[in-house]
Every structure is written in structure tokens, then in C-alpha cells.
Amino acid sequence: MGLEYNNSFLWFVIGYGLIIVVIGALYSKKVSSSEDFILAGKSLGPVVLMGTLLATWVGSGTVTGGPNSIAYSNGLWPAIGYVIPSLIGITILLLISAKIRNYGKYTVSEILEIKYGPFARILSLIIIVLAFVGIVSYQYQGLGFILHVSTGISVETGTIIGAVLIIFLATIGGLMSVAPTDTLSASIIFVGLIIGVPVILGDIGGFDQLINNVETESLDLFGNLNLLQVMGFYIPVLFLLLGDQNMYQRITASSSDKTTKLGISGWIIGMLISTPLVALLAFSARYYFPELDPGMALISTSLVLPTAIGGLLIAAVTSFIVTTGNSYLLSSATNITYDIYGNYINPKATDKQKLVFTRLLIPVLGLIAYLLTTYFPTVLTVQMYAYTVYGAGITPALLGVFLWSRVTKQAGISSMLAGVTSTLIWEFLDIPFGINSSLISIPIAILVLIVVTLFTSKKQELVDYRKDGLIANEK
């Protein structure tokens, strides 16, 4: 069965686009300061917090990469298991959420500077922008797939249109606009997935009929992957989530610690529902379209569904892609504004000047993200690259701030350098032996953090001891 475009889907995409533009414009009127733009005035309630956490995390990386691509190319169970690292990461964030809120910082770089000094702030900025711009790039590609299915236009043209929409929405209202549209998106995706999965399975003739028409190995625990390859997909997800600036900003933007705990708990429930359903729909696409770009697996199933249901699913996927793209664009622009512009270029900048600078910067970063779409061959490849750069370069040092009081300045900076350098070298060498770079760079970053801390903390203790001895002798 070949792809047959359904032009009716375009109306669902346009309808959703108009709704979020209107909502974004209305909420943008509430933006009067940088705190409103970046942290929504620290006013997010539990429902909105849950929606924005879920929609930001379950974006194009899920519906065109991650469990989608793995289910179609590698097997059902490793795709469903893709939720495991997310659940582990979310649980850890729940445990340290009060500490995150108490820091109250706009960026992860500001948190790192408190522990590791100014150089760590600049280094983390570079790493964050490297990773986040890559993540934005495949959100564009996801929208390109959707417009291709709904109109027949080329994926390349659809990608350009998607880039324009995401950049526009990120620019007008920041998190004040993004958070409520995220909540709407989360609601739509649940409806689309919950209706879509049983309808697809009913059309096929049930789950048994589906598994009778696919390769046997695709139903193995690891599918056609080995354990090392599965870990190569899972580890980057865990370490991106544990250090993801978007999640830290949203936790900081909540109205109270109680709100944070309720919102994160709802996020866990949302992941338990959405990830397996995405995997099932993408896996079902093998039955209808055995030769397909894996990134289009879930999206292609909308063509099999009745137009109303398929259109709802397309709108749902569109919503998650758009909100994730908005969030990562906003987050990377925030870093440059506060870590470079506000610190070095214009230290006396007013709050209004910072807000204007952030809004001007978003389209520039958006254009760079678009250029990246021409470099990486698939959504999954750029996804794993971006996740690993961030997970190795930022997360071990960041977790050290919250979980290990003994960690030293030298260890944090060394870990960040080791993590991002080893990732880029491994990627430049074209992933030797087929081993995902995360399995090399993240352990290196963690090991460096531990070893350098143990060495430098003992040295510092010796220096302090000698100083105390000199003071005592003087007395």
C-alpha cells in the first residue's frame, strides 16, 4: 500500500495552527517582563505544569524519532521500553524539584556558575545551544512530514513552513504563551492516540493479525537490536531529561512546591499512556506501509483512519511538534541573553532590553536550526546526537550540584569538557564499531567528575589544613 495524500488533513492543521496563534497572541499581552516571558511569572498551576512538561518532552523526538522510529525499524518492545529512561529521569527530578525551585534561576548555566564559576557558565551555554538548536531542527522536519502527508508538497517545503510557524510562536509570547498551548496540545494528543490505536487495530483485524504479518524478530524483547544498541538509544534520553533546561525552567515557573509535585506526577502518568500508544501506532504502520521513511510511521497511519480521527491525530502530532520546537528555541535564546548579552555585552541592560534581545535572537537561532536539517539524514540520528551532546556535557556536572556537596569547581568544568569533547570526537569518527557515542562520552564525563573531585577535594583539604595550622601558630 502506498501513501495517498489526504488534503482534508490540511484543514485540521490550519485549524489547530489558528487556535494556538490566537491563544499565543492573547497570552502574549500578559508579558511585561523577562520573568513573564521566560518563567510565565512563576504562576503555573498543576494542570498547566503537567501539560507543558509532557508536551515539551513528547515532541517530534517521540512522534517521528524515538519510539516511533524504533517501533517501525527495530521492534515493538524496545520502542515501548523507551519510556523507562524517561520514568527514571522524571522520578529523580521529582525528588530534587524543591531544590530546583529554590535556585530560581532562568538558565541551567546560572546554576552551574554558582558551583563551578564563570567559565562553567560560558561552556555550558555553548553546549546547550549546540544541543538545543539540533533538537529544534528535527521539529521542523516533523512538520515537513505532516504537510507532505496532508498536501502532497515536498518534505523540504513543508520543513520550511514548519520552521516559520515555530519561530513565530516562540517569538511572540515566550513561556507565558507556550505553557497554555502545551496544555491544549497534551489534551489533543491523548484523544488522538486513545481513539486511533483501537481503530487501527480493528481495521487490521486485531493485534494477533498484526503480529502474524510482521517479522518474528520484531517481537523479541530487543527486536532486531542487541543490548548495547538498546542502551545506546535509552541512555541519551535519560541524561538529557535529567539536565534539560526546559524542565528546570518549568519546575521553577510553578506556583509552589505542591504544584510542582502534582504536575510532575501527572507527567509520569502521561508518559505511561502516550509512549506505548505511539509505539503501537508506529508498529502498525509496518502492516500498511512496509517501505517507509521511519520518521513518517505514526503520521502515515492517519491515512488509514477515518478522516475525522486521522485529522485529529495529525493535529495532535502537530501540536506536540510545535510546542517542543517553541520551547527549545526559547530556552537556547534565553541562555545567550542572560549568559552573554546581560553579563558581557550590555551588563547594564534593562529588563526590557533583555526581553527585546531575546525576541530578536529567536529567529536567528531558528534559521541555524533549519540549516542543520540539511546535514543529518534522519530524525533519529540528529536526535541521538543532540541528546548525547547535552547529556554528556551538562547533566553529570549539573546533578553534581544537587546531589554531591563535595563536588569541586575543577571537577565540574573537567567533566563538561570531557563529555562534549568525547561526544564530538566519536561522532566525527563516524561512530566506530557502531557504538552510540553516549555509551562512551557519558561514562567518561561521570568518571572525570568523580576522579577530579576526589583528587582536588583532598588537595583543598590539605591546603585548608595548612592554613588552619599557620593561623594557630600565629596565635
Side-chain angles (χ1 to χ4, degrees):
M1 182 177 179
L3 287 175
E4 296 180 1
Y5 313 117
N6 188 336
N7 293 329
S8 298
F9 287 167
L10 184 60
W11 294 109
F12 287 87
V13 176
I14 292 173
Y16 168 75
L18 288 174
I19 290 171
I20 60 174
V21 167
V22 170
I23 292 175
L26 289 174
Y27 275 88
S28 69
K29 294 178 181 179
K30 297 183 178 182
V31 175
S32 59
S33 67
S34 293
E35 184 172 283
D36 292 337
F37 192 77
I38 298 165
L39 298 179
K42 296 186 178 180
S43 63
L44 300 186
V47 175
V48 175
L49 179 62
M50 179 202 73
T52 191
L53 287 168
L54 181 64
T56 301
W57 187 241
V58 185
S60 186
T62 297
V63 296
T64 62
N68 168 82
S69 293
I70 293 172
Y72 185 86
S73 301
N74 308 116
L76 179 61
W77 293 113
I80 292 177
Y82 196 81
V83 74
I84 295 172
S86 292
L87 295 179
I88 295 171
I90 295 169
T91 301
I92 294 173
L93 289 181
L94 178 62
L95 295 175
I96 65 173
S97 60
K99 291 183 178 180
I100 295 172
R101 287 195 74 251
N102 288 337
Y103 267 83
K105 298 299 182 182
Y106 288 160
T107 69
V108 160
S109 300
E110 291 177 291
I111 297 174
L112 291 170
E113 182 183 31
I114 293 172
K115 187 72 175 180
Y116 305 125
F119 181 72
R121 185 172 185 171
I122 300 301
L123 179 58
S124 63
L125 161 70
I126 296 169
I127 297 169
I128 289 169
V129 173
L130 272 174
F132 281 11
V133 169
I135 291 172
V136 172
S137 72
Y138 61 77
Q139 312 305 318
Y140 298 164
Q141 289 176 298
L143 281 181
F145 290 149
I146 288 173
L147 293 174
H148 177 62
V149 167
S150 59
T151 66
I153 65 173
S154 68
V155 173
E156 292 75 17
T157 301
T159 299
I160 294 173
I161 295 171
V164 171
L165 178 61
I166 288 173
I167 291 169
F168 172 74
L169 289 172
T171 303
I172 60 172
L175 189 59
M176 186 69 80
S177 294
V178 169
T181 57
D182 279 355
T183 305
L184 174 64
S185 301
S187 302
I188 294 175
I189 195 72
F190 276 122
V191 174
L193 291 173
I194 290 170
I195 294 175
V197 168
V199 171
I200 283 287
L201 291 178
D203 183 72
I204 291 173
F207 186 71
D208 289 341
Q209 180 65 20
L210 172 62
I211 62 176
N212 288 335
N213 284 272
V214 296
E215 297 90 340
T216 304
E217 65 176 4
S218 66
L219 294 168
D220 292 343
L221 181 61
F222 296 150
N224 59 17
L225 302 169
N226 57 44
L227 178 59
L228 203 61
Q229 290 170 320
V230 170
M231 296 306 293
F233 286 129
Y234 288 8
I235 293 298
V237 177
L238 173 61
F239 278 82
L240 172 67
L241 179 54
L242 286 174
D244 192 338
Q245 180 169 271
N246 279 291
M247 308 311 156
Y248 282 66
Q249 286 176 332
R250 279 155 175 75
I251 290 170
T252 303
S254 66
S255 58
S256 67
D257 287 339
K258 182 180 179 181
T259 294
T260 303
K261 288 180 170 56
L262 289 172
I264 295 177
S265 298
W267 181 18
I268 291 173
I269 295 170
M271 291 301 300
L272 283 169
I273 296 172
S274 60
T275 304
L277 292 180
V278 167
L280 272 170
L281 274 180
F283 188 70
S284 300
R286 295 166 61 113
Y287 178 86
Y288 297 103
F289 311 104
E291 295 182 6
L292 192 68
D293 183 326
M296 294 185 67
L298 181 144
I299 293 169
S300 70
T301 60
S302 62
L303 296 169
V304 183
L305 295 166
T307 297
I309 300 174
L312 185 64
L313 181 63
I314 283 291
V317 173
T318 302
S319 66
F320 267 26
I321 291 173
V322 169
T323 53
T324 300
N326 293 345
S327 298
Y328 281 94
L329 259 185
L330 171 63
S331 195
S332 52
T334 300
N335 270 99
I336 296 175
T337 298
Y338 284 87
D339 299 330
I340 298 295
Y341 177 73
N343 258 6
Y344 301 103
I345 298 176
N346 188 5
K348 296 182 179 180
T350 64
D351 187 75
K352 184 176 180 180
Q353 286 175 316
K354 291 177 181 177
L355 178 59
V356 170
F357 185 82
T358 303
R359 280 178 159 156
L360 292 174
L361 191 60
I362 287 172
V364 175
L365 295 175
L367 177 60
I368 295 172
Y370 171 73
L371 296 176
L372 272 182
T373 64
T374 63
Y375 179 77
F376 288 95
T378 69
V379 168
L380 197 57
T381 54
V382 66
Q383 181 184 5
M384 290 300 106
Y385 151 77
Y387 283 17
T388 303
V389 166
Y390 195 99
I394 297 292
T395 301
L398 182 61
L399 290 178
V401 174
F402 293 104
L403 302 177
W404 196 16
S405 59
R406 190 179 176 183
V407 69
T408 64
K409 173 182 176 180
Q410 299 92 325
I413 293 174
S414 299
S415 174
M416 293 163 67
L417 285 170
V420 73
T421 302
S422 56
T423 298
L424 295 177
I425 290 174
W426 201 257
E427 293 285 338
F428 179 76
L429 294 174
D430 199 23
I431 312 178
F433 316 110
I435 298 175
N436 188 290
S437 56
S438 64
L439 299 180
I440 303 298
S441 58
I442 291 175
I444 287 175
I446 294 172
L447 184 63
V448 167
L449 185 76
I450 294 171
V451 171
V452 176
T453 292
L454 294 177
F455 177 76
T456 54
S457 62
K458 286 181 179 179
K459 187 175 181 181
Q460 185 61 46
E461 287 171 3
L462 180 61
V463 170
D464 292 341
Y465 175 78
R466 287 175 176 173
K467 283 183 179 178
D468 292 340
L470 288 172
I471 293 172
N473 288 333
E474 290 174 359
K475 290 182 178 179

